[in-house]
mmCIF file with all atom_site columns, all heavy atoms in Angstrom:
data_model
loop_
_atom_site.group_PDB
_atom_site.id
_atom_site.type_symbol
_atom_site.label_atom_id
_atom_site.label_alt_id
_atom_site.label_comp_id
_atom_site.label_asym_id
_atom_site.label_entity_id
_atom_site.label_seq_id
_atom_site.pdbx_PDB_ins_code
_atom_site.Cartn_x
_atom_site.Cartn_y
_atom_site.Cartn_z
_atom_site.occupancy
_atom_site.B_iso_or_equiv
_atom_site.pdbx_formal_charge
_atom_site.auth_seq_id
_atom_site.auth_comp_id
_atom_site.auth_asym_id
_atom_site.auth_atom_id
_atom_site.pdbx_PDB_model_num
ATOM 1   N N   . ALA A 1 56 ? 9.517  31.256 -1.126 1.00 92.00 ? 157 ALA A N   1
ATOM 2   C CA  . ALA A 1 56 ? 8.212  31.911 -1.049 1.00 92.00 ? 157 ALA A CA  1
ATOM 3   C C   . ALA A 1 56 ? 7.704  31.937 0.390  1.00 92.00 ? 157 ALA A C   1
ATOM 4   O O   . ALA A 1 56 ? 7.057  32.907 0.810  1.00 92.00 ? 157 ALA A O   1
ATOM 5   C CB  . ALA A 1 56 ? 7.223  31.193 -1.960 1.00 92.00 ? 157 ALA A CB  1
ATOM 6   N N   . GLY A 1 57 ? 8.022  30.897 1.169  1.00 92.00 ? 158 GLY A N   1
ATOM 7   C CA  . GLY A 1 57 ? 7.660  30.916 2.585  1.00 92.00 ? 158 GLY A CA  1
ATOM 8   C C   . GLY A 1 57 ? 8.376  32.013 3.340  1.00 92.00 ? 158 GLY A C   1
ATOM 9   O O   . GLY A 1 57 ? 7.781  32.697 4.173  1.00 92.00 ? 158 GLY A O   1
ATOM 10  N N   . ALA A 1 60 ? 6.736  35.239 2.501  1.00 90.00 ? 161 ALA A N   1
ATOM 11  C CA  . ALA A 1 60 ? 5.461  35.393 3.204  1.00 90.00 ? 161 ALA A CA  1
ATOM 12  C C   . ALA A 1 60 ? 5.676  35.751 4.669  1.00 90.00 ? 161 ALA A C   1
ATOM 13  O O   . ALA A 1 60 ? 4.838  36.428 5.269  1.00 90.00 ? 161 ALA A O   1
ATOM 14  C CB  . ALA A 1 60 ? 4.649  34.115 3.084  1.00 90.00 ? 161 ALA A CB  1
ATOM 15  N N   . LEU A 1 61 ? 6.801  35.306 5.256  1.00 89.00 ? 162 LEU A N   1
ATOM 16  C CA  . LEU A 1 61 ? 7.061  35.687 6.647  1.00 89.00 ? 162 LEU A CA  1
ATOM 17  C C   . LEU A 1 61 ? 7.357  37.182 6.777  1.00 89.00 ? 162 LEU A C   1
ATOM 18  O O   . LEU A 1 61 ? 7.004  37.802 7.770  1.00 89.00 ? 162 LEU A O   1
ATOM 19  C CB  . LEU A 1 61 ? 8.244  34.890 7.193  1.00 89.00 ? 162 LEU A CB  1
ATOM 20  C CG  . LEU A 1 61 ? 7.947  33.506 7.755  1.00 89.00 ? 162 LEU A CG  1
ATOM 21  C CD1 . LEU A 1 61 ? 9.227  32.913 8.301  1.00 89.00 ? 162 LEU A CD1 1
ATOM 22  C CD2 . LEU A 1 61 ? 6.934  33.598 8.858  1.00 89.00 ? 162 LEU A CD2 1
ATOM 23  N N   . LEU A 1 66 ? 0.364  40.912 3.118  1.00 81.00 ? 167 LEU A N   1
ATOM 24  C CA  . LEU A 1 66 ? -0.445 39.710 2.980  1.00 81.00 ? 167 LEU A CA  1
ATOM 25  C C   . LEU A 1 66 ? -1.552 39.635 4.019  1.00 81.00 ? 167 LEU A C   1
ATOM 26  O O   . LEU A 1 66 ? -2.429 38.805 3.909  1.00 81.00 ? 167 LEU A O   1
ATOM 27  C CB  . LEU A 1 66 ? 0.437  38.462 3.095  1.00 81.00 ? 167 LEU A CB  1
ATOM 28  C CG  . LEU A 1 66 ? 1.281  38.154 1.882  1.00 81.00 ? 167 LEU A CG  1
ATOM 29  C CD1 . LEU A 1 66 ? 2.156  36.956 2.167  1.00 81.00 ? 167 LEU A CD1 1
ATOM 30  C CD2 . LEU A 1 66 ? 0.405  37.840 0.707  1.00 81.00 ? 167 LEU A CD2 1
ATOM 31  N N   . GLY A 1 67 ? -1.493 40.452 5.046  1.00 82.00 ? 168 GLY A N   1
ATOM 32  C CA  . GLY A 1 67 ? -2.548 40.439 6.042  1.00 82.00 ? 168 GLY A CA  1
ATOM 33  C C   . GLY A 1 67 ? -2.270 39.453 7.157  1.00 82.00 ? 168 GLY A C   1
ATOM 34  O O   . GLY A 1 67 ? -1.144 38.959 7.302  1.00 82.00 ? 168 GLY A O   1
ATOM 35  N N   . PRO A 1 68 ? -3.285 39.132 7.961  1.00 86.00 ? 169 PRO A N   1
ATOM 36  C CA  . PRO A 1 68 ? -3.053 38.309 9.157  1.00 86.00 ? 169 PRO A CA  1
ATOM 37  C C   . PRO A 1 68 ? -2.777 36.836 8.851  1.00 86.00 ? 169 PRO A C   1
ATOM 38  O O   . PRO A 1 68 ? -2.373 36.114 9.757  1.00 86.00 ? 169 PRO A O   1
ATOM 39  C CB  . PRO A 1 68 ? -4.345 38.477 9.941  1.00 86.00 ? 169 PRO A CB  1
ATOM 40  C CG  . PRO A 1 68 ? -5.352 38.816 8.923  1.00 86.00 ? 169 PRO A CG  1
ATOM 41  C CD  . PRO A 1 68 ? -4.672 39.613 7.887  1.00 86.00 ? 169 PRO A CD  1
ATOM 42  N N   . TYR A 1 69 ? -3.027 36.383 7.613  1.00 87.00 ? 170 TYR A N   1
ATOM 43  C CA  . TYR A 1 69 ? -2.832 34.968 7.319  1.00 87.00 ? 170 TYR A CA  1
ATOM 44  C C   . TYR A 1 69 ? -1.466 34.671 6.722  1.00 87.00 ? 170 TYR A C   1
ATOM 45  O O   . TYR A 1 69 ? -1.282 33.627 6.108  1.00 87.00 ? 170 TYR A O   1
ATOM 46  C CB  . TYR A 1 69 ? -3.915 34.484 6.359  1.00 87.00 ? 170 TYR A CB  1
ATOM 47  C CG  . TYR A 1 69 ? -5.271 34.388 7.004  1.00 87.00 ? 170 TYR A CG  1
ATOM 48  C CD1 . TYR A 1 69 ? -6.232 35.345 6.758  1.00 87.00 ? 170 TYR A CD1 1
ATOM 49  C CD2 . TYR A 1 69 ? -5.564 33.349 7.855  1.00 87.00 ? 170 TYR A CD2 1
ATOM 50  C CE1 . TYR A 1 69 ? -7.459 35.285 7.356  1.00 87.00 ? 170 TYR A CE1 1
ATOM 51  C CE2 . TYR A 1 69 ? -6.798 33.277 8.451  1.00 87.00 ? 170 TYR A CE2 1
ATOM 52  C CZ  . TYR A 1 69 ? -7.740 34.248 8.202  1.00 87.00 ? 170 TYR A CZ  1
ATOM 53  O OH  . TYR A 1 69 ? -8.953 34.174 8.793  1.00 87.00 ? 170 TYR A OH  1
ATOM 54  N N   . SER A 1 70 ? -0.506 35.574 6.865  1.00 87.00 ? 171 SER A N   1
ATOM 55  C CA  . SER A 1 70 ? 0.783  35.357 6.207  1.00 87.00 ? 171 SER A CA  1
ATOM 56  C C   . SER A 1 70 ? 1.551  34.214 6.859  1.00 87.00 ? 171 SER A C   1
ATOM 57  O O   . SER A 1 70 ? 2.271  33.483 6.179  1.00 87.00 ? 171 SER A O   1
ATOM 58  C CB  . SER A 1 70 ? 1.599  36.635 6.257  1.00 87.00 ? 171 SER A CB  1
ATOM 59  O OG  . SER A 1 70 ? 1.898  36.943 7.596  1.00 87.00 ? 171 SER A OG  1
ATOM 60  N N   . THR A 1 71 ? 1.377  34.008 8.178  1.00 89.00 ? 172 THR A N   1
ATOM 61  C CA  . THR A 1 71 ? 2.082  32.889 8.820  1.00 89.00 ? 172 THR A CA  1
ATOM 62  C C   . THR A 1 71 ? 1.497  31.548 8.380  1.00 89.00 ? 172 THR A C   1
ATOM 63  O O   . THR A 1 71 ? 2.220  30.566 8.245  1.00 89.00 ? 172 THR A O   1
ATOM 64  C CB  . THR A 1 71 ? 1.992  33.014 10.333 1.00 89.00 ? 172 THR A CB  1
ATOM 65  O OG1 . THR A 1 71 ? 0.623  33.169 10.688 1.00 89.00 ? 172 THR A OG1 1
ATOM 66  C CG2 . THR A 1 71 ? 2.772  34.199 10.810 1.00 89.00 ? 172 THR A CG2 1
ATOM 67  N N   . PHE A 1 72 ? 0.169  31.516 8.108  1.00 90.00 ? 173 PHE A N   1
ATOM 68  C CA  . PHE A 1 72 ? -0.447 30.320 7.533  1.00 90.00 ? 173 PHE A CA  1
ATOM 69  C C   . PHE A 1 72 ? 0.176  29.988 6.188  1.00 90.00 ? 173 PHE A C   1
ATOM 70  O O   . PHE A 1 72 ? 0.521  28.830 5.887  1.00 90.00 ? 173 PHE A O   1
ATOM 71  C CB  . PHE A 1 72 ? -1.948 30.566 7.378  1.00 90.00 ? 173 PHE A CB  1
ATOM 72  C CG  . PHE A 1 72 ? -2.652 29.636 6.470  1.00 90.00 ? 173 PHE A CG  1
ATOM 73  C CD1 . PHE A 1 72 ? -2.866 28.327 6.836  1.00 90.00 ? 173 PHE A CD1 1
ATOM 74  C CD2 . PHE A 1 72 ? -3.113 30.067 5.243  1.00 90.00 ? 173 PHE A CD2 1
ATOM 75  C CE1 . PHE A 1 72 ? -3.515 27.471 5.994  1.00 90.00 ? 173 PHE A CE1 1
ATOM 76  C CE2 . PHE A 1 72 ? -3.757 29.214 4.393  1.00 90.00 ? 173 PHE A CE2 1
ATOM 77  C CZ  . PHE A 1 72 ? -3.964 27.911 4.777  1.00 90.00 ? 173 PHE A CZ  1
ATOM 78  N N   . MET A 1 73 ? 0.378  31.031 5.362  1.00 90.00 ? 174 MET A N   1
ATOM 79  C CA  . MET A 1 73 ? 0.980  30.816 4.043  1.00 90.00 ? 174 MET A CA  1
ATOM 80  C C   . MET A 1 73 ? 2.411  30.307 4.171  1.00 90.00 ? 174 MET A C   1
ATOM 81  O O   . MET A 1 73 ? 2.824  29.402 3.442  1.00 90.00 ? 174 MET A O   1
ATOM 82  C CB  . MET A 1 73 ? 0.956  32.121 3.280  1.00 90.00 ? 174 MET A CB  1
ATOM 83  C CG  . MET A 1 73 ? 1.373  31.992 1.853  1.00 90.00 ? 174 MET A CG  1
ATOM 84  S SD  . MET A 1 73 ? 1.024  33.469 0.943  1.00 90.00 ? 174 MET A SD  1
ATOM 85  C CE  . MET A 1 73 ? 1.364  32.870 -0.691 1.00 90.00 ? 174 MET A CE  1
ATOM 86  N N   . ALA A 1 74 ? 3.174  30.861 5.133  1.00 90.00 ? 175 ALA A N   1
ATOM 87  C CA  . ALA A 1 74 ? 4.559  30.418 5.300  1.00 90.00 ? 175 ALA A CA  1
ATOM 88  C C   . ALA A 1 74 ? 4.614  28.958 5.742  1.00 90.00 ? 175 ALA A C   1
ATOM 89  O O   . ALA A 1 74 ? 5.421  28.171 5.232  1.00 90.00 ? 175 ALA A O   1
ATOM 90  C CB  . ALA A 1 74 ? 5.256  31.316 6.322  1.00 90.00 ? 175 ALA A CB  1
ATOM 91  N N   . GLY A 1 75 ? 3.732  28.581 6.675  1.00 92.00 ? 176 GLY A N   1
ATOM 92  C CA  . GLY A 1 75 ? 3.734  27.195 7.135  1.00 92.00 ? 176 GLY A CA  1
ATOM 93  C C   . GLY A 1 75 ? 3.363  26.226 6.031  1.00 92.00 ? 176 GLY A C   1
ATOM 94  O O   . GLY A 1 75 ? 3.993  25.170 5.870  1.00 92.00 ? 176 GLY A O   1
ATOM 95  N N   . ALA A 1 76 ? 2.338  26.584 5.227  1.00 92.00 ? 177 ALA A N   1
ATOM 96  C CA  . ALA A 1 76 ? 1.942  25.710 4.119  1.00 92.00 ? 177 ALA A CA  1
ATOM 97  C C   . ALA A 1 76 ? 3.050  25.591 3.092  1.00 92.00 ? 177 ALA A C   1
ATOM 98  O O   . ALA A 1 76 ? 3.280  24.509 2.528  1.00 92.00 ? 177 ALA A O   1
ATOM 99  C CB  . ALA A 1 76 ? 0.666  26.243 3.465  1.00 92.00 ? 177 ALA A CB  1
ATOM 100 N N   . ALA A 1 77 ? 3.782  26.690 2.852  1.00 92.00 ? 178 ALA A N   1
ATOM 101 C CA  . ALA A 1 77 ? 4.878  26.628 1.891  1.00 92.00 ? 178 ALA A CA  1
ATOM 102 C C   . ALA A 1 77 ? 5.996  25.725 2.391  1.00 92.00 ? 178 ALA A C   1
ATOM 103 O O   . ALA A 1 77 ? 6.546  24.917 1.617  1.00 92.00 ? 178 ALA A O   1
ATOM 104 C CB  . ALA A 1 77 ? 5.414  28.031 1.628  1.00 92.00 ? 178 ALA A CB  1
ATOM 105 N N   . PHE A 1 78 ? 6.336  25.794 3.680  1.00 93.00 ? 179 PHE A N   1
ATOM 106 C CA  . PHE A 1 78 ? 7.409  24.922 4.188  1.00 93.00 ? 179 PHE A CA  1
ATOM 107 C C   . PHE A 1 78 ? 6.991  23.461 4.158  1.00 93.00 ? 179 PHE A C   1
ATOM 108 O O   . PHE A 1 78 ? 7.795  22.582 3.811  1.00 93.00 ? 179 PHE A O   1
ATOM 109 C CB  . PHE A 1 78 ? 7.802  25.347 5.599  1.00 93.00 ? 179 PHE A CB  1
ATOM 110 C CG  . PHE A 1 78 ? 8.522  26.654 5.633  1.00 93.00 ? 179 PHE A CG  1
ATOM 111 C CD1 . PHE A 1 78 ? 8.270  27.576 6.620  1.00 93.00 ? 179 PHE A CD1 1
ATOM 112 C CD2 . PHE A 1 78 ? 9.431  26.963 4.647  1.00 93.00 ? 179 PHE A CD2 1
ATOM 113 C CE1 . PHE A 1 78 ? 8.924  28.784 6.632  1.00 93.00 ? 179 PHE A CE1 1
ATOM 114 C CE2 . PHE A 1 78 ? 10.088 28.163 4.660  1.00 93.00 ? 179 PHE A CE2 1
ATOM 115 C CZ  . PHE A 1 78 ? 9.831  29.079 5.651  1.00 93.00 ? 179 PHE A CZ  1
ATOM 116 N N   . VAL A 1 79 ? 5.708  23.179 4.480  1.00 93.00 ? 180 VAL A N   1
ATOM 117 C CA  . VAL A 1 79 ? 5.225  21.794 4.424  1.00 93.00 ? 180 VAL A CA  1
ATOM 118 C C   . VAL A 1 79 ? 5.280  21.257 2.997  1.00 93.00 ? 180 VAL A C   1
ATOM 119 O O   . VAL A 1 79 ? 5.702  20.122 2.744  1.00 93.00 ? 180 VAL A O   1
ATOM 120 C CB  . VAL A 1 79 ? 3.796  21.710 4.999  1.00 93.00 ? 180 VAL A CB  1
ATOM 121 C CG1 . VAL A 1 79 ? 3.156  20.394 4.666  1.00 93.00 ? 180 VAL A CG1 1
ATOM 122 C CG2 . VAL A 1 79 ? 3.833  21.893 6.486  1.00 93.00 ? 180 VAL A CG2 1
ATOM 123 N N   . THR A 1 80 ? 4.881  22.114 2.012  1.00 92.00 ? 181 THR A N   1
ATOM 124 C CA  . THR A 1 80 ? 4.918  21.669 0.617  1.00 92.00 ? 181 THR A CA  1
ATOM 125 C C   . THR A 1 80 ? 6.337  21.384 0.157  1.00 92.00 ? 181 THR A C   1
ATOM 126 O O   . THR A 1 80 ? 6.586  20.392 -0.537 1.00 92.00 ? 181 THR A O   1
ATOM 127 C CB  . THR A 1 80 ? 4.291  22.732 -0.276 1.00 92.00 ? 181 THR A CB  1
ATOM 128 O OG1 . THR A 1 80 ? 3.031  23.079 0.250  1.00 92.00 ? 181 THR A OG1 1
ATOM 129 C CG2 . THR A 1 80 ? 4.115  22.210 -1.666 1.00 92.00 ? 181 THR A CG2 1
ATOM 130 N N   . ILE B 2 50 ? 2.263  28.802 -5.764 1.00 92.00 ? 133 ILE B N   1
ATOM 131 C CA  . ILE B 2 50 ? 2.657  29.515 -4.550 1.00 92.00 ? 133 ILE B CA  1
ATOM 132 C C   . ILE B 2 50 ? 3.140  30.919 -4.873 1.00 92.00 ? 133 ILE B C   1
ATOM 133 O O   . ILE B 2 50 ? 2.791  31.889 -4.198 1.00 92.00 ? 133 ILE B O   1
ATOM 134 C CB  . ILE B 2 50 ? 3.701  28.685 -3.796 1.00 92.00 ? 133 ILE B CB  1
ATOM 135 C CG1 . ILE B 2 50 ? 3.043  27.392 -3.331 1.00 92.00 ? 133 ILE B CG1 1
ATOM 136 C CG2 . ILE B 2 50 ? 4.228  29.431 -2.617 1.00 92.00 ? 133 ILE B CG2 1
ATOM 137 C CD1 . ILE B 2 50 ? 3.932  26.492 -2.600 1.00 92.00 ? 133 ILE B CD1 1
ATOM 138 N N   . GLU B 2 58 ? -3.261 36.841 -1.799 1.00 86.00 ? 141 GLU B N   1
ATOM 139 C CA  . GLU B 2 58 ? -4.366 36.074 -1.220 1.00 86.00 ? 141 GLU B CA  1
ATOM 140 C C   . GLU B 2 58 ? -3.802 34.792 -0.636 1.00 86.00 ? 141 GLU B C   1
ATOM 141 O O   . GLU B 2 58 ? -3.554 33.833 -1.357 1.00 86.00 ? 141 GLU B O   1
ATOM 142 C CB  . GLU B 2 58 ? -5.394 35.712 -2.300 1.00 86.00 ? 141 GLU B CB  1
ATOM 143 C CG  . GLU B 2 58 ? -6.014 36.919 -2.921 1.00 86.00 ? 141 GLU B CG  1
ATOM 144 C CD  . GLU B 2 58 ? -7.508 36.785 -2.997 1.00 86.00 ? 141 GLU B CD  1
ATOM 145 O OE1 . GLU B 2 58 ? -8.013 35.808 -2.416 1.00 86.00 ? 141 GLU B OE1 1
ATOM 146 O OE2 . GLU B 2 58 ? -8.147 37.637 -3.617 1.00 86.00 ? 141 GLU B OE2 1
ATOM 147 N N   . PRO B 2 59 ? -3.574 34.714 0.680  1.00 86.00 ? 142 PRO B N   1
ATOM 148 C CA  . PRO B 2 59 ? -2.874 33.550 1.239  1.00 86.00 ? 142 PRO B CA  1
ATOM 149 C C   . PRO B 2 59 ? -3.675 32.258 1.154  1.00 86.00 ? 142 PRO B C   1
ATOM 150 O O   . PRO B 2 59 ? -3.095 31.184 1.232  1.00 86.00 ? 142 PRO B O   1
ATOM 151 C CB  . PRO B 2 59 ? -2.644 33.949 2.690  1.00 86.00 ? 142 PRO B CB  1
ATOM 152 C CG  . PRO B 2 59 ? -2.767 35.406 2.711  1.00 86.00 ? 142 PRO B CG  1
ATOM 153 C CD  . PRO B 2 59 ? -3.750 35.764 1.665  1.00 86.00 ? 142 PRO B CD  1
ATOM 154 N N   . ILE B 2 60 ? -4.997 32.333 0.972  1.00 87.00 ? 143 ILE B N   1
ATOM 155 C CA  . ILE B 2 60 ? -5.798 31.120 0.996  1.00 87.00 ? 143 ILE B CA  1
ATOM 156 C C   . ILE B 2 60 ? -5.585 30.300 -0.283 1.00 87.00 ? 143 ILE B C   1
ATOM 157 O O   . ILE B 2 60 ? -5.896 29.107 -0.321 1.00 87.00 ? 143 ILE B O   1
ATOM 158 C CB  . ILE B 2 60 ? -7.279 31.484 1.190  1.00 87.00 ? 143 ILE B CB  1
ATOM 159 C CG1 . ILE B 2 60 ? -8.035 30.323 1.811  1.00 87.00 ? 143 ILE B CG1 1
ATOM 160 C CG2 . ILE B 2 60 ? -7.939 31.865 -0.101 1.00 87.00 ? 143 ILE B CG2 1
ATOM 161 C CD1 . ILE B 2 60 ? -7.638 30.040 3.214  1.00 87.00 ? 143 ILE B CD1 1
ATOM 162 N N   . LEU B 2 61 ? -5.006 30.915 -1.326 1.00 87.00 ? 144 LEU B N   1
ATOM 163 C CA  . LEU B 2 61 ? -4.790 30.187 -2.577 1.00 87.00 ? 144 LEU B CA  1
ATOM 164 C C   . LEU B 2 61 ? -3.710 29.124 -2.443 1.00 87.00 ? 144 LEU B C   1
ATOM 165 O O   . LEU B 2 61 ? -3.559 28.295 -3.334 1.00 87.00 ? 144 LEU B O   1
ATOM 166 C CB  . LEU B 2 61 ? -4.386 31.161 -3.682 1.00 87.00 ? 144 LEU B CB  1
ATOM 167 C CG  . LEU B 2 61 ? -5.481 32.031 -4.271 1.00 87.00 ? 144 LEU B CG  1
ATOM 168 C CD1 . LEU B 2 61 ? -4.891 32.983 -5.266 1.00 87.00 ? 144 LEU B CD1 1
ATOM 169 C CD2 . LEU B 2 61 ? -6.492 31.162 -4.946 1.00 87.00 ? 144 LEU B CD2 1
ATOM 170 N N   . ILE B 2 62 ? -2.944 29.121 -1.339 1.00 88.00 ? 145 ILE B N   1
ATOM 171 C CA  . ILE B 2 62 ? -1.773 28.247 -1.288 1.00 88.00 ? 145 ILE B CA  1
ATOM 172 C C   . ILE B 2 62 ? -2.152 26.801 -0.975 1.00 88.00 ? 145 ILE B C   1
ATOM 173 O O   . ILE B 2 62 ? -1.367 25.899 -1.210 1.00 88.00 ? 145 ILE B O   1
ATOM 174 C CB  . ILE B 2 62 ? -0.772 28.793 -0.252 1.00 88.00 ? 145 ILE B CB  1
ATOM 175 C CG1 . ILE B 2 62 ? 0.626  28.334 -0.593 1.00 88.00 ? 145 ILE B CG1 1
ATOM 176 C CG2 . ILE B 2 62 ? -1.107 28.363 1.128  1.00 88.00 ? 145 ILE B CG2 1
ATOM 177 C CD1 . ILE B 2 62 ? 1.659  28.951 0.271  1.00 88.00 ? 145 ILE B CD1 1
ATOM 178 N N   . VAL B 2 63 ? -3.370 26.557 -0.492 1.00 89.00 ? 146 VAL B N   1
ATOM 179 C CA  . VAL B 2 63 ? -3.714 25.190 -0.103 1.00 89.00 ? 146 VAL B CA  1
ATOM 180 C C   . VAL B 2 63 ? -3.805 24.257 -1.299 1.00 89.00 ? 146 VAL B C   1
ATOM 181 O O   . VAL B 2 63 ? -3.867 23.040 -1.127 1.00 89.00 ? 146 VAL B O   1
ATOM 182 C CB  . VAL B 2 63 ? -5.042 25.159 0.659  1.00 89.00 ? 146 VAL B CB  1
ATOM 183 C CG1 . VAL B 2 63 ? -4.910 25.863 1.968  1.00 89.00 ? 146 VAL B CG1 1
ATOM 184 C CG2 . VAL B 2 63 ? -6.139 25.790 -0.159 1.00 89.00 ? 146 VAL B CG2 1
ATOM 185 N N   . THR B 2 64 ? -3.810 24.793 -2.548 1.00 90.00 ? 147 THR B N   1
ATOM 186 C CA  . THR B 2 64 ? -3.900 23.917 -3.714 1.00 90.00 ? 147 THR B CA  1
ATOM 187 C C   . THR B 2 64 ? -2.582 23.241 -4.043 1.00 90.00 ? 147 THR B C   1
ATOM 188 O O   . THR B 2 64 ? -2.555 22.323 -4.851 1.00 90.00 ? 147 THR B O   1
ATOM 189 C CB  . THR B 2 64 ? -4.345 24.728 -4.917 1.00 90.00 ? 147 THR B CB  1
ATOM 190 O OG1 . THR B 2 64 ? -3.457 25.826 -5.056 1.00 90.00 ? 147 THR B OG1 1
ATOM 191 C CG2 . THR B 2 64 ? -5.736 25.245 -4.723 1.00 90.00 ? 147 THR B CG2 1
ATOM 192 N N   . ALA B 2 65 ? -1.469 23.668 -3.437 1.00 89.00 ? 148 ALA B N   1
ATOM 193 C CA  . ALA B 2 65 ? -0.174 23.113 -3.840 1.00 89.00 ? 148 ALA B CA  1
ATOM 194 C C   . ALA B 2 65 ? 0.103  21.768 -3.167 1.00 89.00 ? 148 ALA B C   1
ATOM 195 O O   . ALA B 2 65 ? 0.769  20.917 -3.747 1.00 89.00 ? 148 ALA B O   1
ATOM 196 C CB  . ALA B 2 65 ? 0.943  24.098 -3.511 1.00 89.00 ? 148 ALA B CB  1
ATOM 197 N N   . ILE B 2 66 ? -0.412 21.564 -1.950 1.00 90.00 ? 149 ILE B N   1
ATOM 198 C CA  . ILE B 2 66 ? -0.104 20.329 -1.227 1.00 90.00 ? 149 ILE B CA  1
ATOM 199 C C   . ILE B 2 66 ? -0.766 19.100 -1.890 1.00 90.00 ? 149 ILE B C   1
ATOM 200 O O   . ILE B 2 66 ? -0.091 18.094 -2.115 1.00 90.00 ? 149 ILE B O   1
ATOM 201 C CB  . ILE B 2 66 ? -0.505 20.480 0.245  1.00 90.00 ? 149 ILE B CB  1
ATOM 202 C CG1 . ILE B 2 66 ? 0.279  21.630 0.873  1.00 90.00 ? 149 ILE B CG1 1
ATOM 203 C CG2 . ILE B 2 66 ? -0.216 19.226 1.010  1.00 90.00 ? 149 ILE B CG2 1
ATOM 204 C CD1 . ILE B 2 66 ? -0.168 21.958 2.259  1.00 90.00 ? 149 ILE B CD1 1
ATOM 205 N N   . LEU C 3 59 ? -9.164 22.115 -5.780 1.00 91.00 ? 210 LEU C N   1
ATOM 206 C CA  . LEU C 3 59 ? -9.012 21.047 -4.773 1.00 91.00 ? 210 LEU C CA  1
ATOM 207 C C   . LEU C 3 59 ? -9.832 19.815 -5.140 1.00 91.00 ? 210 LEU C C   1
ATOM 208 O O   . LEU C 3 59 ? -9.471 18.697 -4.766 1.00 91.00 ? 210 LEU C O   1
ATOM 209 C CB  . LEU C 3 59 ? -9.450 21.556 -3.402 1.00 91.00 ? 210 LEU C CB  1
ATOM 210 C CG  . LEU C 3 59 ? -8.439 22.403 -2.660 1.00 91.00 ? 210 LEU C CG  1
ATOM 211 C CD1 . LEU C 3 59 ? -9.021 22.845 -1.350 1.00 91.00 ? 210 LEU C CD1 1
ATOM 212 C CD2 . LEU C 3 59 ? -7.196 21.597 -2.407 1.00 91.00 ? 210 LEU C CD2 1
#
Side-chain angles (χ1 to χ4, degrees):
Chain A
L162 275 183
L167 285 176
Y170 289 104
S171 64
T172 52
F173 163 72
M174 188 169 189
F179 290 140
V180 167
T181 309
Chain B
I133 295 180
E141 298 227 8
I143 205 68
L144 285 176
I145 205 173
V146 294
T147 54
I149 299 173
Chain C
L210 280 179

